[in-house]
Amino acid sequence: MKAMLQCMSHTPLKGYFDPSPDVVGEVADLVNAVREEVACFDPEVIYLFAPDHYNGVFLDLMPQFCIGMGATSVGDYMTPDGPLDVPRQLAERCAEAVIDCGIDLAFSYRMQVDHGFAQALVEMTGALDRYPVIPIMINAVAPPLVSFKRARQLGEALGRFAGHEHERVLFIGSGGLSHNPPIPAIATASDPVVIERLIAGRHPTPEARDARQKRTIAAARAFAAGDGGLHALSPEWDRAFMRQVQARDWSAIDAYRNDEVSKAAGASTHEAKTWVAAAAAMEAACAQGWKAEARYYRPIPEWVAGFGALSGYSHEGPSKSRGGAAPAGRLQCQSKQDRKGTSDESA
């Protein structure tokens, strides 16, 4: 089989509170290059690992992992609302295979997803429904949280299934790296309105969603100005993590402790588990026959994000659907960014 991996940070603040134009352009070049590669690769299906931010999944029933048999984007921030193209029978077979591997995977036939999923799909493919996609939510905001090791095991189980099902598959990890946006926690919340929103805040009014988004933007402005009390970004942690994923240093990744990650890099850094799951899926699907490449990193305070990107490509192999051997990914689809070289801030 041929497989591609694309891991990238997302941010709801893009377009609302941006860094300098050169940084915006740098990230836009990165996104355009990834989109060109994905279009050239033309995946049969995408397995998308992403978190939710109390927009689709709430504390009335919070799974650690959830696969969508059907899914709809809520349309928060600048992402579109509407259905994803989820192949139901494939998702059902995938869930059965993953559960057979000992992973307790929840499932939903009416999954709601937010910008964590939608931004990755729109930026990397151009639309919510350009390709069939299996969405897999990883809880990254509501303690108690699964370990990095367990996220790796989820990815492995899914990758073994995908490796037997497809000719060309794209794995996406959407989230991370170091960041700590102003997401309230049930352990410290005292306002009854906030508590109810965390437990069952589905389908907010447009006014309520707009108010929440404005609070996030205001917090980002304060953070970029050096105020607001949010956890600082941690480029050192981010770069070390990216090196470990690139090297597929699973023992180092398994060793991460949730409390230590929160302390070192912020409470929402657990979104990095989407990268771990996606890379582990790539590893299992390709029987280790692939190469990873860390291609971008920059701490961007305006987006409250350590913003990174990492790609992976399976080794050359036969393609039944295309009638012959061909290298996948960047070797086949050299992009404008490839020709220019990577940013000075690349990891």
Side-chain angles (χ1 to χ4, degrees), residues 61-290:
L61 186 59
M62 175 61 74
Q64 297 293 353
F65 306 134
C66 184
I67 187 170
M69 312 299 192
T72 300
S73 166
V74 302
D76 61 332
Y77 295 91
M78 291 188 182
T79 61
D81 59 9
L84 282 61
D85 179 14
V86 180
R88 173 175 163 175
Q89 292 183 348
L90 177 64
E92 291 171 338
R93 292 200 306 276
C94 179
E96 183 175 0
V98 171
I99 290 170
D100 281 348
C101 289
I103 305 296
D104 297 329
L105 178 68
F107 56 88
S108 172
Y109 284 81
R110 196 174 291 172
M111 188 171 171
Q112 289 192 318
V113 300
D114 69 5
H115 63 274
F117 291 81
Q119 188 175 87
L121 285 175
V122 171
E123 291 194 338
M124 294 188 193
T125 74
L128 292 173
D129 57 355
R130 172 75 182 276
Y131 300 100
V133 58
I134 307 292
I136 306 104
M137 190 280 295
I138 295 180
N139 170 29
V141 298
L145 303 170
V146 293
S147 65
F148 278 70
K149 178 180 179 180
R150 196 60 172 163
R152 191 257 302 163
Q153 292 171 332
L154 165 70
E156 283 184 349
L158 191 144
R160 284 194 290 272
F161 168 80
H164 289 94
E165 285 279 332
H166 310 293
E167 291 291 334
R168 298 184 313 283
V169 59
L170 170 62
F171 299 106
I172 295 177
S174 172
L177 300 165
S178 65
H179 66 308
N180 198 144
I183 298 177
I186 193 72
T188 55
S190 57
D191 184 335
V193 174
V194 173
I195 293 172
E196 178 60 21
R197 189 172 74 236
L198 292 173
I199 294 175
R202 296 175 184 83
H203 309 298
T205 65
E207 292 77 15
R209 186 178 297 286
D210 182 63
R212 178 180 174 182
Q213 295 181 175
K214 286 180 177 176
R215 288 194 294 271
T216 301
I217 297 165
R221 291 184 181 278
F223 179 68
D227 299 323
L230 298 180
H231 194 292
L233 304 180
S234 181
E236 182 178 351
W237 189 95
D238 293 340
R239 289 190 169 100
F241 171 77
M242 291 181 70
R243 285 194 297 270
Q244 289 159 357
V245 175
Q246 182 176 4
R248 291 124 77 182
D249 187 348
W250 303 116
S251 61
I253 291 169
D254 282 356
Y256 278 118
R257 287 172 50 97
N258 284 339
D259 56 345
E260 292 174 350
V261 170
S262 296
K263 183 177 180 180
S268 288
T269 308
H270 298 282
E271 291 184 5
K273 292 167 186 169
T274 64
W275 289 38
V276 172
M282 185 80 173
E283 178 92 336
C286 299
Q288 303 180 0
W290 67 289

Side-chain angles (χ1 to χ4, degrees), residues 12-53:
L13 292 159
K14 191 178 289 186
Y16 290 99
F17 181 50
D18 288 327
S20 61
D22 60 320
V23 175
V24 172
E26 191 177 86
V27 175
D29 286 346
L30 166 73
V31 170
N32 290 336
V34 169
R35 187 185 303 172
E36 287 181 21
E37 291 177 11
V38 170
C40 190
F41 183 67
D42 191 24
E44 293 176 313
V45 65
I46 297 171
Y47 290 89
L48 170 55
F49 299 89
D52 179 77
H53 310 78

